[in-house]
Amino acid sequence: MDLESCSYVLPLLTCCLFLLYSITCYALAAAAGGGGSCGGSDDHAAPRSYPLVGCLLDFYRNRRRLLAWYTGLLAASPSQTIVVDRLGARRTVVTANPANVEHVLRANFGNYPKGKAFTDVLGDLLGGGIFNADGERWFAQRKLVSHEFSARVMREAVGVALEREARARLLPALDAAAEGGGGVVVVDVQELLRQFAFNVICRVALGGGGGEVALALPLSRLAAAFDAAAAISARRGAAPVAAAWKVKRALGVGSERRLREEVKVIRDAIMEFVRDSSSRRRREQLLAAARGRDDLVSRMAASGYPDEAICDMVVSFIMAGRDTTSSALTWFFWLMTRHRNVEREVLDEVDACMGDGGGLAGVDLEGSRRARVLHAALCETMRLSPPVAWDSKHAAEDDVLPDGTRVGRGDRVTYFPYGMGRMEAIWGADAGEFRPGRWLAAAAAGGGVSPFKYPVFQGGPRTCLGKDMAFVQMKFVASAVLRRFELRPVAPEGSPEFVPLLTAHMAGGLKVTVRRRQRQNGTFSIDKIVMQKPVVD
């Protein structure tokens, strides 16, 4: 038997053995009047459990709808917490309780690192970069990378990258669609936004600024490698039995072989850039300082980091920023097509804040900061469709959560932004509705919304450093697109499928037709800025 055949036979054999074992346990449990629970706060809310295999049967049965399954169980639990025990996995506490989230992310932060189980899943792709680091290594990297999110960098590097990508690709592509058929040409907005966000974050991380990033391969090929590697890594984390992917990795077959190949593409390209950049910095340090180069790679090299560590950091930086904003914006534009009244409010506010536009593709970055309705609409979008559906930590020592749930050393504790956004216990009876006004009301009351009630950007010491950058980018894109174009989805009525990989996306993309925006005071002319034809690298 060849190795490729093993990639199918071994997982299949494993599943058959577990199925046979589970059926036997099910029969024994039924004969004994069995069942029980997985140990949640409310036995009626917990998935069914059987001797030895635990919740494996229920988990496997719901593996393609875990978001809805967990959300239903948590909503039925008085404490919004359940405990899942299943064969082949660590004991897992899943919570949508804000008090528990605050305890894990802030009050007892030191006891809840990401943990080896998490870093193993992403280690081949991310190495020891900030997104996959704990302890002192994480703290040192966070301190260094925090410079990337200063007001000056946001204004200069991020602003320039946003303008360039908007002029070169995003807006011309939409304009061409509007020009090319009066509602006939179909565009996948999700794919456009993903390309846009990937190019922007590469320019910020690698110092391309307003020019090209000098990589040895096109950005489109690098993006494809990231897509494949992220998808396979996500499937690792969702595997019912972790041993299956670990065996495939050891044998170098199937999806694990593909992961190894795509990671090599990513790391070879970035390492070549890093080595060239580091060498150039050593040779031309004074000249580089005179030019004012202050990108992430340059500063890590100047701080004495080895090339491998710089590569890890760059990969983590790109992973953290590549799809989060594009995911949120995809759902935002879809929601605007379903809530035209909110879209009108956003447009009126954007026009008032932007005036005639400004230099950045018709968007005034400072004006966008004042766009309160737009900010509220984006927050409400991410409440219902968070870019990261869930996040896990692993307990370093035994603990008890505020709601009384026991946590053992090594247990996984998962907080669940997707489910939290749907909890009536948190948001009220209209939790399932898109209502940006709830954010305006919270701001008017002076308290805002707790990050532990809305942990889309985490909270506590590990709060997302890129939060402000994300809002700058989302407001920029939303303003630039909505002022010029009306998007009309081609799919039938109904909600698209939310797919929770490492970063969530919309199944099948957001397919739209594009029309130039007609305003009461005339058409907002796309000729107000100078653009080129869409760039294809």
Side-chain angles (χ1 to χ4, degrees), residues 366-388:
E366 291 304 315
S368 72
R369 295 178 187 275
R370 300 191 299 271
R372 293 168 50 253
V373 175
L374 175 56
H375 188 93
L378 289 167
C379 288
E380 183 72 346
T381 296
M382 291 184 286
R383 181 181 72 84
L384 294 171
S385 302
V388 179

Side-chain angles (χ1 to χ4, degrees), residues 194-217:
R194 293 180 75 214
Q195 293 172 4
F196 175 87
F198 183 81
N199 291 353
V200 168
I201 197 66
C202 281
R203 296 185 191 289
V204 173
L206 301 176
E212 293 298 325
V213 176
L215 289 172
L217 76 169

